[in-house]
Amino acid sequence: MGFTTARMTLIYHTPLTREDLRAQNVPDSWPFGIADRVHYGDLDTNSHVNNAVYLKWFENIRVQYFQAWDILKFQAGEPRVVLKSLAVEYHKEMFMNEDYVVAARTASFRNTSFRQEYAVYSGDLRVTGQAVIVMLQPDAPEKMALPDALKQRFIQVDGATAG
């Protein structure tokens, strides 16, 4: 399933190309995004998207981002990534059957953690968020240094900065 614009048909739940993202008014600084549509179960008693649903959308894109960029395969023996904090800012309501794109990028990183940013676009910006994610040893609660290759990927693809 997807939705059609003047230029294209988007496929839901699949990473979009940069061209697809630009066609949906997602700025070029966002390298990764997926499309979907607001469902009835996403609504609250005011008939707009429930605030907590955006957290689910951010979690979904975070997992797809990790898998698409080969950061985490969710297999035994791999480093673990855990969510340390999450913040959300609501800009404009969303309603039933609105098509949207949720986008993700890594904005900055430190030795053992990185800060991701999220945005929801439906013609215009609706919601933004950010999360701090920590990398842990595969079988222990100790923090683990981010691999240099991952840091380089954050810099080259997402435009992330150290610090």
Side-chain angles (χ1 to χ4, degrees):
M1 297 288 304
F3 63 95
T4 302
T5 68
R7 297 179 56 193
M8 65 188 6
T9 298
L10 287 178
I11 304 300
Y12 295 151
H13 309 287
T14 301
L16 303 172
T17 66
R18 281 186 179 257
E19 180 181 276
D20 293 339
L21 291 168
R22 301 308 81 80
Q24 300 306 311
N25 296 324
V26 177
D28 193 47
S29 59
W30 295 96
F32 190 81
I34 56 174
D36 202 353
R37 174 174 282 179
V38 175
H39 303 278
Y40 177 77
D42 297 331
L43 304 179
D44 62 15
T45 57
N46 293 316
S47 297
H48 65 230
V49 173
N50 184 296
N51 294 345
V53 169
Y54 297 104
L55 302 178
K56 180 176 78 169
W57 294 354
F58 293 164
E59 179 76 13
N60 288 339
I61 196 156
R62 185 167 40 256
V63 169
Q64 286 198 26
Y65 175 99
F66 289 164
Q67 291 176 319
W69 296 118
D70 206 25
I71 294 170
L72 191 62
K73 295 179 183 134
F74 300 97
Q75 298 174 352
E78 282 193 328
R80 297 178 299 137
V81 293
V82 295
L83 184 66
K84 180 180 179 184
S85 64
L86 181 64
V88 181
E89 185 173 343
Y90 305 97
H91 302 274
K92 187 175 178 184
E93 295 174 308
M94 293 186 67
F95 299 95
M96 180 73 174
N97 292 326
E98 277 192 81
D99 295 309
Y100 65 89
V101 172
V102 59
R105 64 184 172 204
T106 296
S108 63
F109 58 88
R110 299 179 85 172
N111 188 42
T112 61
S113 64
F114 54 99
R115 184 173 59 84
Q116 283 200 310
E117 295 177 335
Y118 311 103
V120 177
Y121 288 87
S122 183
D124 57 359
L125 182 63
R126 303 304 182 88
V127 175
T128 55
Q130 62 179 325
V132 174
I133 300 164
V134 177
M135 186 168 281
L136 300 178
Q137 296 289 337
D139 299 316
E142 289 86 28
K143 292 179 181 179
M144 178 180 164
L146 299 177
D148 287 338
L150 181 58
K151 291 177 186 178
Q152 287 304 309
R153 189 234 162 263
F154 289 158
I155 293 167
Q156 292 170 354
V157 178
D158 290 6
T161 59

